């Protein structure tokens, strides 16, 4: 960590702060939404895929973590979690407008997070 710039150190520390905050969010989502198991697990999946994206992006920016294979695999894990969360959240509620909003949110943001990690993995640089 000695050869990191100030900004890289901030990214590195922020990655662990993000991980800690999302770990607490997982617990609080599960407790607060315990009356609706599908919605609770959907919210937990949301927090996990957002946490993975945020942590790995910040660790990449800090230059501490640059393993392209792991970033590639995590991009597909994020895609799977976003899809799982979409299904669980849509199944948990009966309000049509909320279900449609959930679908658009998960496709939009889940797609962004997946493509972002795929970009960082540099697996498609020559495509």
């Amino acid at each position: 960590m000695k050869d990191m710039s100030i900004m890289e150190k901030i990214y590195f520390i922020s990655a662990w702060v993000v991980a800690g905050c999302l770990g607490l969010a997982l617990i609080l989502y599960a407790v607060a939404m315990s009356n609706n198991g599908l919605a609770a697990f959907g919210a937990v999946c949301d927090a996990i895929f957002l946490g993975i994206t945020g942590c790995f992006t910040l660790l990449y920016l800090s230059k501490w973590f640059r393993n392209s294979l792991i970033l590639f695999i995590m991009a597909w894990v994020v895609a799977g979690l976003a899809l799982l969360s979409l299904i669980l959240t849509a199944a948990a509620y009966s309000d049509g407008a909320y279900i449609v909003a959930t679908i658009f949110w998960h496709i939009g943001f889940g797609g962004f997070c997946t493509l972002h990690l795929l970009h960082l993995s540099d697996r498609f640089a020559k495509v």
Side-chain angles (χ1 to χ4, degrees), residues 6 14 17 20 22 29 31 33 37 48 53 74 76 91 95 125:
I6 297 291
S14 297
V17 170
L22 286 165
Y29 274 137
V31 170
M33 301 175 81
I48 292 171
T53 303
M74 294 314 288
W76 295 112
D95 183 21

Side-chain angles (χ1 to χ4, degrees), residues 5 7 9 14 17 29 63 75 81-82 86 88 94 96 100 108-109:
S5 70
M7 199 64 216
K9 289 178 183 177
S14 297
V17 170
Y29 274 137
K63 296 182 183 168
L81 285 168
L86 182 153
L88 292 171
S94 60
V100 172
F109 202 65

Side-chain angles (χ1 to χ4, degrees), residues 47-106:
I48 292 171
F49 92 75
L50 291 172
I52 288 171
T53 303
C55 289
F56 278 97
T57 298
L58 289 167
L59 290 174
Y60 180 88
L61 291 173
S62 74
K63 296 182 183 168
W64 185 78
F65 184 84
R66 293 285 174 111
N67 187 327
S68 65
L69 178 62
I70 299 296
L71 287 168
F72 181 76
I73 292 169
M74 294 314 288
W76 295 112
V77 168
V78 162
L81 285 168
L83 181 62
L84 179 62
S85 180
L86 182 153
I87 293 166
L88 292 171
T89 306
Y93 297 101
S94 60
D95 183 21
Y98 188 81
I99 291 171
V100 172
T102 296
I103 290 169
F104 285 133
W105 187 88
H106 283 92

